[in-house]
Every structure is written in structure tokens, then in C-alpha cells.
Amino acid sequence: SYVLTQPSSVAVAPGNPATITCGGHNIGSKSVNWYQQKPGQAPVLVMFFDSDRPSGIPERFSGSNSGNTAALTISRVEAGDEADYYCQVWDDIIDREEFGGGTKLTVL
Amino acid sequence: QVHLVQSGPEVKMAGSSVKVSCTLSGGALINYPITWVRQAPGEGLEWMGGIVPMFGTVKYRQEFQGRVTISVDESTNTVYMELNSLTSKDTAVYYCARRASASTNWFDPWGQGTLVTVSS
């Protein structure tokens, strides 16, 4: 299966940028999506097709994908951004969706 | 605006089955593939499978093959996920989510989740 590797946690002070990475073999050749999940809530799509923002997602959120690493960047972190973030791709070899293990973003 | 509303929490005995429903409002289900994802307590997201109502095609994660069935009732705009031979490892929140089309792979929106608790 296709393995996606995320750091378990990232901690950032308010107003500073935060970058959450998602590593995978030649992930730059795939389309990566990102979800935000707050405690007790369902996941919410925050980025699709590597770097497209759904309506309602602040411009502070951006995405990139190249080589073996995709990334979700929040330019100026706010307290309300504290959540778990998951990357997701479609594994075309075995025809199934894969999620990364998730990254807990803590706002200091 | 499209919303997905799931059935309520379930408590099941080991060895039994559970059937979770997911009803779409604000659109016709036949236009949207629906995916099922589960999340065990304190764990990450796990894709289980999905259905494309327009084509009648269904895909399952290999680990669930033979144990899970995803079906659709277009008359009620509802998708079902049935999981058999439950064990304690199946205790999780089960989510349905919509894909925009058969050629896209992002999920938006998601249902509110259904907690399934399996007791031995």
C-alpha cells in the first residue's frame, strides 16, 4: 500500500506560520487533499487538488506538492486553527484512498 | 447546499452486524459518489470503501472484503454501510462523505459521524 507520513505534532505561536508536511514516494505525481478535524467533529476539507481552497477556507491556508513531500501551510496561525490535520491521496496501484496518520497542530 | 445526515449511535455485541445510514439533502444522490471512512478512538482516518450510484459501482478496502456492504436507495436519497462479524476492533466513529464526481477524489462535505460500539 501507499504510505503517507506526517509528523505527529506541530506547535506554533499565534501569528506565526505553520507548515504540516505529508511525505510519500513521488507524491508530487499525485493529487493531495487536506482535512482539518477538531475534537468531537467530523473532518472538514481545507485543501484539494494540492493547492485549491474550498469556499469558506481562509486565504491563510495554502498547499504545495512536489517530489516526495506535500505541505499544508497556515500563514498566520490563530487559536481556532488548533486541530488534527490529515493528508489524503488516491493510491492508483491498488485503487484505494489513503490517509496520512494525522498531525496535531497546537497553538501555543 | 448539500448536507449528509447519518443514523444514530449503535451498541452491538461481538459477532453481530451493524447498518449505518447516510441521507443526502440538497441534491440528488445519483449525482454524487459516497465514501465511508472510519475512525477508531484516538486513531486516524481509515477509508473503507465507496459507491458511485450513477454507475452502480462499489469499491471496498481489501481488509473489509466479504465483511462490508455499501448500498444505495435512490428513492430515499440514502446510502447504507453494513459491517458484519463485528469485533471490538470495529468500535469506531463511521463517517460518510461525498465526492464531487466520479473523477474527483476529495471528500466534501462529511456526515456528522455515527459511533458504533462493539461489546464482547
Side-chain angles (χ1 to χ4, degrees):
Chain A
S1 63
Y2 188 79
V3 178
L4 294 171
T5 302
Q6 296 183 237
S8 58
S9 63
V10 169
V12 176
N16 284 354
T19 297
I20 298 170
T21 58
C22 177
H25 178 68
N26 199 25
I27 196 174
S29 67
K30 299 182 180 296
S31 172
V32 180
N33 310 308
W34 291 89
Y35 302 89
Q36 176 193 70
Q37 186 181 34
K38 296 182 178 180
Q41 298 183 20
V44 172
L45 179 72
V46 294
M47 198 67 57
F48 66 98
F49 209 44
D50 295 340
S51 58
D52 287 347
R53 268 179 300 105
S55 61
I57 301 302
E59 291 183 10
R60 302 182 293 107
F61 287 76
S62 63
S64 64
N65 185 17
S66 179
N68 294 316
T69 305
L72 176 71
T73 299
I74 308 171
S75 59
R76 296 173 303 282
V77 168
E78 300 177 357
D81 300 329
E82 189 163 280
D84 294 327
Y85 291 83
Y86 295 90
C87 58
Q88 173 245 325
V89 302
W90 172 56
D91 180 354
D92 58 332
I93 301 298
I94 57 175
D95 193 18
R96 77 184 195 189
E97 308 291 348
E98 292 289 357
F99 288 94
T103 298
K104 181 176 181 59
L105 175 65
T106 299
V107 181
L108 300 171
Chain B
Q1 191 173 6
V2 171
H3 291 282
L4 295 171
V5 179
Q6 299 183 221
S7 49
E10 303 264 11
V11 179
K12 295 291 184 179
M13 296 296 293
S16 67
S17 301
V18 68
K19 193 170 187 177
V20 180
S21 69
C22 169
T23 301
L24 185 145
S25 63
L29 189 63
I30 191 161
N31 294 325
Y32 302 113
I34 299 293
T35 282
W36 287 90
V37 174
R38 77 176 186 179
Q39 185 172 37
E43 301 294 325
L45 304 172
E46 180 180 41
W47 178 77
M48 298 181 68
I51 187 167
V52 183
M54 181 175 290
F55 305 130
T57 54
V58 186
K59 280 191 271 189
Y60 301 118
R61 189 183 190 93
Q62 187 173 7
E63 289 87 333
F64 295 106
Q65 285 279 4
R67 213 161 63 89
V68 67
T69 303
I70 297 174
S71 58
V72 62
D73 182 346
E74 292 177 26
S75 68
T76 59
N77 244 21
T78 300
V79 174
Y80 298 91
M81 186 284 299
E82 183 171 24
L83 189 61
N84 304 317
S85 302
L86 293 170
T87 74
S88 59
K89 294 181 180 180
D90 295 314
T91 293
V93 176
Y94 290 77
Y95 295 101
C96 62
R98 185 200 70 159
R99 283 165 54 191
S101 73
S103 60
T104 62
N105 77 322
W106 53 86
F107 310 131
D108 178 54
W110 294 56
Q112 83 276 20
T114 297
L115 175 61
V116 175
T117 303
V118 182
S119 62
S120 53

